[in-house]
Amino acid sequence: EWIAERIAERVTDATRDVIGQTVLEEIAAALAGRAVAPPPGSELVPLPSMDIQLEENRINCLDLFSGAGGMSLGFQDAGYDVVAATDYDKDAAATYRRNFPKAKFIEGDITTDKIKDDICAAFKGRMCHVIIGGPECDAFSMAGKRDPKDARARLFLDYVELVRRLHPICCVMENVPGILSARTPKGKRGSVLVEVEKAFRGIGYQVEQRQLDASDFGVAQRRKRIIFITSGDRFAPIIFPAIPRPGAGPDAWGYTGIQRAIYDLADVPDGKVQGHVRTRHSQEFVERIRAARAAGKKQLGDYSEATRFPKAEAPAPTQKDNHGMADIHYRDDRVLTPREQARLQGFPDSFEFVGSQGSMRKQVCNAVPPDLAQGVAATLKTVILHSLTMNFLSRALDDATKMFGRRMRS
């Protein structure tokens, strides 16, 4: 119907039938995955196979501020080809290289021209279909100082600059809910959000944001994050993933609980599963845990961001980098291991982390849960394929009508 409408707009009644028949045959062949020669005597140029447009059906992806690679894993599992990624943290870089050996990892400061040039060079000769990533959130986190002068609060501008240079179809940018109320040095509450949206629209991208909770995507953790989706293509509408209805999960309230996610690690010896090494607590610390648990306390000590006593049947509270500390195990008198925290983020045991216990915790807790990323990626994939297909059809129709126009005039 779309093709017929475009034909009706551009050609006369005398030529509509033959043009329509020829264009439809060409497009059908192209979408079937093969090129087709024009009929004898025709001035039409053969259309390329749709496979050429999709580079063998691969959607190329760039991950900025990648960390260990939680977002990359989600997009890879959704069928994307993660071509390149970048971060400055050495342990995160080592973790990323170990788990994504085919991706080009660019280690360094993204604010420098050299790193930006290296990132763009990774896509020489190929299209970057989507850019993903989450600029550092410390400057916006409600648990931090939220200093408007913190240089990390401006990292989204480097993200936008690379979008301008590579011009992907879509982008996905993740951050903490605090970004909605963060302010610029001279601005009012919420002025950072205004700047982010203004920056994207200034380079021709539409942008929308929505708060998503990882627990809605099967992750055993309550983790709310702001997801920005941008589009720079007329055929790529902004669509967020549908939220699964409560009741789909196996545990309380229909969500995946802590116990289901990590119960099988409780009696596994240290080191048998990578990253699963228990912290050797002092007897005094163990006694504090026991006393607090027996008293029905929700946390150990006064700091609300760590050493909490979450319920076994419920999703864990948001896992955060707390200077090497973690929440208390639902059964044992100890803190969670890095691997148990990785399970609560949705990482498979095959995903290996590099570094000390503290470094692994930091990488895990700073990551985007892969299952949340995959949910976004699956929806976005439909949009990107729609964009590529419609642009292909539009160009094909333009070429065909121009050729027939010249022939009719001659």
Side-chain angles (χ1 to χ4, degrees), residues 369-384:
D371 290 338
L372 170 59
Q374 186 177 358
V376 175
T379 300
L380 198 64
K381 187 176 183 180
T382 302
V383 172
I384 293 172

Side-chain angles (χ1 to χ4, degrees), residues 31-106:
L31 289 178
R34 63 182 187 276
V36 62
S42 172
E43 297 178 9
L44 278 177
V45 176
L47 294 178
S49 164
M50 191 63 182
D51 286 346
I52 297 176
Q53 303 293 318
L54 292 178
E55 299 181 25
E56 299 180 355
N57 294 319
R58 292 181 177 179
I59 301 179
N60 299 326
C61 177
L62 166 64
D63 191 349
L64 304 178
F65 310 96
S66 66
M71 209 166 191
S72 285
L73 182 59
F75 272 73
Q76 180 176 273
D77 289 346
Y80 291 68
D81 184 11
V82 184
V83 175
T86 183
D87 203 283
Y88 72 92
D89 184 274
K90 292 188 178 300
D91 285 345
T95 295
Y96 196 98
R97 290 187 176 105
R98 178 171 296 185
N99 292 281
F100 303 94
K102 294 183 179 179
K104 180 176 179 59
F105 192 87
I106 298 136

Side-chain angles (χ1 to χ4, degrees), residues 101-140:
K102 294 183 179 179
K104 180 176 179 59
F105 192 87
I106 298 136
E107 184 178 344
D109 184 356
I110 197 173
T111 65
T112 65
D113 291 338
K114 181 184 183 305
I115 294 298
K116 288 188 179 75
D117 290 342
D118 289 347
I119 292 170
C120 292
F123 287 89
K124 185 177 181 180
R126 71 175 92 189
M127 180 178 180
C128 177
H129 296 109
V130 59
I131 293 179
I132 63 177
E136 283 194 58
C137 63
D138 297 56
F140 309 127

Side-chain angles (χ1 to χ4, degrees), residues 1 17 20 91 148 155 203 215 263 265 289 325:
E1 290 177 356
D17 289 342
D91 285 345
L155 288 173
I203 59 171
S215 64
Y263 76 95
L265 291 174
I289 292 176
M325 292 302 294

Side-chain angles (χ1 to χ4, degrees), residues 63-67 70-71 75 131-138 140 156 159 171-179 196 200 208-212 214 223-230 240 318 345 364-369 372-373 376:
D63 191 349
L64 304 178
F65 310 96
S66 66
M71 209 166 191
F75 272 73
I131 293 179
I132 63 177
E136 283 194 58
C137 63
D138 297 56
F140 309 127
F156 71 86
Y159 186 113
C171 307
V172 179
M173 191 173 79
E174 174 266 355
N175 218 285
V176 294
I179 195 173
V196 170
F200 277 113
E208 294 181 22
Q209 52 81 17
R210 187 171 298 173
Q211 180 173 277
L212 301 179
R223 192 180 186 91
K224 295 179 180 180
R225 287 297 182 263
I226 301 301
I227 301 296
F228 292 86
I229 296 181
T230 77
F240 286 85
T318 302
Q345 281 276 59
V364 169
C365 294
N366 286 342
V368 175
L372 170 59
V376 175

Side-chain angles (χ1 to χ4, degrees), residues 307-323:
T307 58
R308 295 161 293 194
F309 291 93
K311 295 181 179 179
E313 72 278 5
T318 302
Q319 298 299 290
K320 299 180 180 180
D321 172 31
N322 293 298
H323 309 288

Side-chain angles (χ1 to χ4, degrees), residues 310-376:
K311 295 181 179 179
E313 72 278 5
T318 302
Q319 298 299 290
K320 299 180 180 180
D321 172 31
N322 293 298
H323 309 288
M325 292 302 294
D327 287 327
I328 307 299
H329 191 273
Y330 69 90
R331 186 195 74 180
D332 299 339
D333 297 324
R334 60 174 177 83
V335 298
L336 298 170
T337 68
R339 176 52 60 188
E340 287 169 333
Q341 288 186 295
R343 287 270 194 98
L344 298 182
Q345 281 276 59
F347 283 99
D349 291 348
S350 59
F351 194 99
E352 298 185 2
F353 294 88
V354 177
S356 65
Q357 290 277 94
S359 176
M360 286 191 285
R361 291 189 193 282
K362 179 179 178 181
Q363 294 173 57
V364 169
C365 294
N366 286 342
V368 175
D371 290 338
L372 170 59
Q374 186 177 358
V376 175

